[in-house]
């Protein structure tokens, strides 16, 4: 249990540092890669598109949560936005 606690609080510190305004843009991408996508802490892949998209999503949701009233957060009365790109789901025309 102590190991899980260390991992949990270590992740919180890493995310907080990566979300600071003075943090480098790629810092959040790297933290997300290490904590979410990498099984063994291996080097970061060349697919920066995925990492950049996930970083944008986390920043957007963090901003939205910071604007959400405490009562809504405490009661669970909020939603995260979809990960899907709505522009890629345009209806097809039938002829």
């Amino acid at each position: 249990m102590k190991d899980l606690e260390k991992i949990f609080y270590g992740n919180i510190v890493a995310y907080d540092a990566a979300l600071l305004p003075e943090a480098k843009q790629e810092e959040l991408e790297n933290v997300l890669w290490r904590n979410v996508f990498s099984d063994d802490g291996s080097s970061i892949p060349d697919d920066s598109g995925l990492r950049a998209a996930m970083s944008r999503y986390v920043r957007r949701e963090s901003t939205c949560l910071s604007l959400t009233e405490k009562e809504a957060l405490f009661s669970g009365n909020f939603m995260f936005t979809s990960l899907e790109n709505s522009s890629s789901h345009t209806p097809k025309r039938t002829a």
Side-chain angles (χ1 to χ4, degrees), residues 29-90:
E29 295 176 13
N30 296 339
V31 169
L32 286 167
W33 169 254
R34 281 193 315 271
N35 294 321
V36 177
F37 297 106
S38 177
D39 291 335
D40 59 0
S42 61
S43 63
I44 295 174
D46 293 334
D47 183 13
S48 62
L50 170 66
R51 291 182 295 117
M54 194 65 187
S55 176
R56 281 191 307 275
Y57 177 80
V58 168
R59 288 184 193 283
R60 182 183 68 220
E61 295 305 304
S62 176
T63 300
C64 289
L65 284 173
S66 72
L67 299 172
T68 304
E69 294 180 14
K70 285 189 282 186
E71 292 79 21
L73 291 173
F74 294 149
S75 67
N77 191 19
F78 66 94
M79 292 177 57
F80 291 104
T81 56
S82 174
L83 285 171
E84 295 179 1
N85 183 355
S86 59
S87 64
S88 66
H89 291 79
T90 55

